[in-house]
């Protein structure tokens, strides 16, 4: 299981939960930490633009998608024709808790009934052009 992004969106700092076997199943998760270099093993199997930076044992009940405390999103726009002041005013209106059901794709099979989300921070910053 893992956290998710929308199709076509880059994900940086994603959290993934995986059940991995070791050669000694009698060791506890903490003890097996020194047994296998999971980062090296996993990175050898992943494409170059996807890297495992670290790992930590978690309880079997952990779900990377649903147990996260918060998510951070960053959007980058071409500055052409945009008013940063108006964007800042609009971002300020997002602060707090709101019902976002009208922004969700409805999927009856998921039985989602709670659409309220709390926005902790919304900032509009001008950044340097790359290059």
């Amino acid at each position: 299981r893992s956290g998710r992004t929308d199709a076509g969106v880059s994900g940086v700092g994603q959290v993934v939960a995986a059940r991995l076997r070791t050669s000694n199943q009698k060791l506890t998760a903490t003890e097996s930490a020194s047994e296998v270099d999971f980062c090296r093993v996993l990175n050898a199997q992943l494409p170059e633009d996807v890297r495992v930076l670290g790992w930590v044992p978690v309880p079997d009940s952990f779900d990377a998608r649903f147990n996260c405390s918060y998510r951070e999103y960053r959007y980058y726009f071409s500055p052409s024709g945009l008013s940063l002041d108006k964007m800042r005013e609009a971002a300020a209106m997002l602060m707090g808790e709101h019902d976002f059901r009208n922004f969700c794709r409805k999927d009856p099979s998921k039985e989602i009934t709670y659409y309220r989300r709390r926005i902790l921070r919304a900032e509009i910053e001008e950044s340097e052009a790359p290059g």
Side-chain angles (χ1 to χ4, degrees):
R1 308 266 335 199
S2 68
R4 298 181 2 191
T5 63
D6 294 331
V9 176
S10 296
V12 175
Q14 291 283 70
V15 172
V16 176
R19 189 178 310 271
L20 303 172
R21 290 183 295 178
T22 68
S23 61
N24 188 344
Q25 293 298 309
K26 294 179 183 179
L27 295 176
T28 67
T30 304
E31 291 170 327
S32 65
S34 61
E35 180 189 4
V36 177
D37 182 354
F38 286 119
C39 293
R40 183 185 56 76
V41 172
L42 292 170
N43 284 332
Q45 302 302 314
L46 293 168
E48 288 295 320
D49 61 340
V50 177
R51 297 286 90 189
V52 175
L53 302 178
W55 74 277
V56 63
V58 295
D60 287 339
S61 62
F62 177 77
D63 185 300
R65 181 175 175 202
F66 296 110
N67 290 133
C68 70
S69 300
Y70 68 92
R71 296 173 196 234
E72 180 176 318
Y73 297 89
R74 293 181 184 208
Y75 299 91
Y76 297 91
F77 302 94
S78 169
S80 174
L82 299 178
S83 167
L84 295 181
D85 288 335
K86 287 182 181 181
M87 291 175 71
R88 287 183 183 109
E89 286 177 36
M93 289 188 245
L94 292 171
M95 298 297 295
E97 189 171 309
H98 305 282
D99 187 323
F100 285 92
R101 80 180 65 229
N102 292 327
F103 293 93
C104 297
R105 181 175 12 158
K106 304 298 187 283
D107 184 347
S109 70
K110 294 187 179 171
E111 301 177 16
I112 296 172
T113 59
Y114 188 74
Y115 299 95
R116 296 192 71 78
R117 299 294 182 264
R118 185 174 15 147
I119 306 296
L120 302 175
R121 188 174 78 208
E123 299 174 352
I124 304 298
E125 299 175 356
E126 190 168 6
S127 65
E128 296 292 322

